[in-house]
Every structure is written in structure tokens, then in C-alpha cells.
Amino acid sequence: MAQPALFLAHGSPTLATKDNNYTRFLRQLGQEKLKRPRAVILFSAHWDSPVQQVTEERLHQTVHDFYGFPDEMYAIHYPAPGDLELSREIGSLFKSNNLPYQSVLERGLDHGAWVILRAMFPDADIPVVELSVDSKRSPAEQYAIGKMLAKLREEDVLIIGSGGLVHNLRLLGAEGAAPSSWAVLFDDWIGLQLSRWDLRTLFDYDKKAPHVKEAVPSYANEHFIPLLYAMGAADNERKARKLYQDYEYGSLSLNCWMFGGQD
């Protein structure tokens, strides 16, 4: 059976130091629920580029792309290997679909990648290729880029979009705050479109979704769009299943959606 594609929320960087329901879910997902993949392709919200970029590294550095956090955060390292052959295969797929791309030889994994991968695969022994997203593209284009990679799932490659469906740092509540009703309504509306695989409505989310201006502010839509890349990678199956939904600070959503690769 093919590997699934996943959309995973990476939450706050401090998720890397926590033992809570979501981190326990991620550990169980990676170590018990999923078949061990031979490699991971990950689209990160923290790599937004107008040109599609692909890491081509033998060994990834750990990028601490945040400021003002506790010292323990900067001591965390996740030295996952790259996969040069897979990076080049991704490039060939992009080239055959007339998508310009660039190979990046020295970048490392940003926290959108290593926070969740460290929870899922703590030994850092599964090769990873990180890919950029482009927040200026249309949803249809973002979906189409994910679709270009769909065949790799048949080659035991797990494809992940890492971001956050509701991600508005200006509207965060206190730690431990109850979920904000507007955030839940937005997530549930998105979930309905995913369960129906209603691309026409989903691609128009910025006009139709309830509370979209609060959930996906114009300055932070790069956190929403990894969902579309992950969905595209399962276009041949068009099955969606919600595995997890919760919130940090009242409105920072922690979601996991699985696309395809299901019994």
C-alpha cells in the first residue's frame, strides 16, 4: 500500500519540549500507526519562496529560526540525513511538469520540519527532503504541485505538509485557554470540504470560510497552504480522514489530516 500524505500542525516551537496530548499523538502516529517510510518529503510553512526550492543535502543542520525562546530550545538538534537521489527525482518530476525549481545545497531543516519529525521519528534516521511553499500562488496551483509528487507515495515516501489551519499570533489567548469558537467553526468548515474533497469550494476558502480573516490573516497564509500541497499528493485517491484536532492558546490549531493510504 502507498504511504499516505499528511497535513500536520507544528504549533509553537516549544512543542518540541512538551509532553502533552498532541506530542503523544505524534509519537504514536510515527512509531505505531504509520508504516515506516523509506523517506519523508516535507513542505514547510517556514520556507516561503516564489521559486519552488528543494533541499539537496547529505546531512541536515537544525535551523533554530525563532527568537527569544528558552535556552533549551537552541540546544535541540535533529541531524536527519537527506536523500540526494530522491531530491533529484523530485526535481525531475517538477521539470517534466514545467515547474521551475532550484536545488538548495545548504539550508537545514527549519522548525516547521524538525519539531514534528523529532516527535514522530526521534532517532533522526529517516531521510528527509524539505520543500518550499509559495503563498502567492493560487490554491489550485499549490494543489497541482503536490499532485506532481503523488507517484512517490507508491515508492514508500511519506509526504507531509507542515503548518497550521488557524494561525493568527495576534489573537492568541492565554496558555490553557478554552478553544475559541471562531477557530473551531473555521476548522470544522475546512474539515467538511476535506471530507467531501470539494476542491471548488475549498479553493475559494478565502471568500467562503467562516472567520477566515481571523483564522488565515493575509500576513500568515503560508501556514494554511501546506494543506493544499499535501492534498494534491493524494489526488489519485481523494480520501481524507481527520486524526486529531485541538488548540493551543485558545486558537492556534493543532490538526492532523491523513489523505489516501488508508485501508
Side-chain angles (χ1 to χ4, degrees):
M1 177 181 289
Q3 286 283 348
L6 298 172
F7 173 78
L8 288 170
H10 57 253
S12 165
T14 56
L15 197 71
T17 63
K18 292 182 178 178
D19 178 22
N20 58 27
N21 288 339
Y22 188 54
T23 58
R24 288 190 288 273
F25 161 77
L26 290 174
R27 285 196 292 272
Q28 186 179 46
L29 178 66
Q31 297 168 47
E32 299 177 23
K33 300 296 185 182
L34 294 175
K35 183 180 84 168
R36 180 181 170 88
R38 74 169 179 87
V40 173
I41 293 171
L42 188 142
F43 289 93
S44 173
H46 289 279
W47 193 4
D48 192 354
S49 170
V51 177
Q52 181 63 59
Q53 297 189 315
V54 182
T55 58
E56 192 170 323
E57 301 178 298
R58 294 186 182 278
L59 183 67
H60 294 292
Q61 298 298 311
T62 305
V63 181
H64 300 95
D65 52 335
F66 40 77
Y67 304 93
F69 282 81
D71 290 345
E72 63 181 322
M73 293 294 301
Y74 304 95
I76 295 173
H77 293 280
Y78 188 77
D83 186 325
L84 301 185
E85 183 178 346
L86 179 58
S87 294
R88 291 162 188 162
E89 186 174 2
I90 292 167
S92 294
L93 291 170
F94 286 155
K95 185 175 181 180
S96 66
N97 284 278
N98 299 311
L99 177 70
Y101 75 96
Q102 296 174 342
S103 295
V104 179
L105 305 183
E106 295 184 8
R107 182 180 187 274
L109 300 178
D110 58 57
H111 81 271
W114 62 259
V115 166
I116 57 174
L117 292 175
R118 183 170 174 265
M120 294 173 69
F121 309 116
D123 293 333
D125 57 351
I126 296 177
V128 180
V129 178
E130 185 170 332
L131 276 66
S132 65
V133 298
D134 183 358
S135 60
K136 303 301 183 186
R137 289 185 183 270
S138 70
E141 290 174 312
Q142 293 155 354
Y143 183 96
I145 291 171
K147 185 177 177 180
M148 294 174 193
L149 305 181
K151 70 180 289 289
L152 297 176
R153 294 177 41 237
E154 302 287 345
E155 300 175 17
D156 208 17
V157 176
L158 176 64
I159 299 178
I160 298 175
S162 171
L165 297 187
V166 181
H167 187 90
N168 189 337
L169 302 184
R170 299 175 185 174
L171 294 180
L172 296 183
E175 187 168 5
S180 301
S181 59
W182 61 267
V184 176
L185 286 170
F186 176 82
D187 268 341
D188 288 350
W189 185 91
I190 295 295
L192 180 62
Q193 314 321 315
L194 299 184
S195 64
R196 296 173 173 173
W197 211 275
D198 184 350
L199 297 182
R200 183 173 181 177
T201 302
L202 182 64
F203 289 171
D204 213 18
Y205 75 93
D206 60 335
K207 301 179 184 65
K208 295 182 177 178
H211 304 288
V212 66
K213 293 187 185 305
E214 294 89 353
V216 189
S218 58
Y219 66 86
N221 71 326
E222 75 282 349
H223 274 76
F224 179 85
I225 61 176
L227 171 77
L228 302 170
Y229 289 87
M231 278 189 82
D235 179 78
N236 59 326
E237 293 184 71
R238 297 197 168 197
K239 296 184 295 185
R241 182 157 60 103
K242 182 170 67 176
L243 302 184
Y244 195 91
Q245 181 173 324
D246 201 355
Y247 299 84
E248 286 187 297
Y249 308 106
S251 65
L252 188 64
S253 62
L254 300 174
N255 309 77
C256 174
W257 281 88
M258 176 182 285
F259 306 117
Q262 303 168 40
D263 293 329

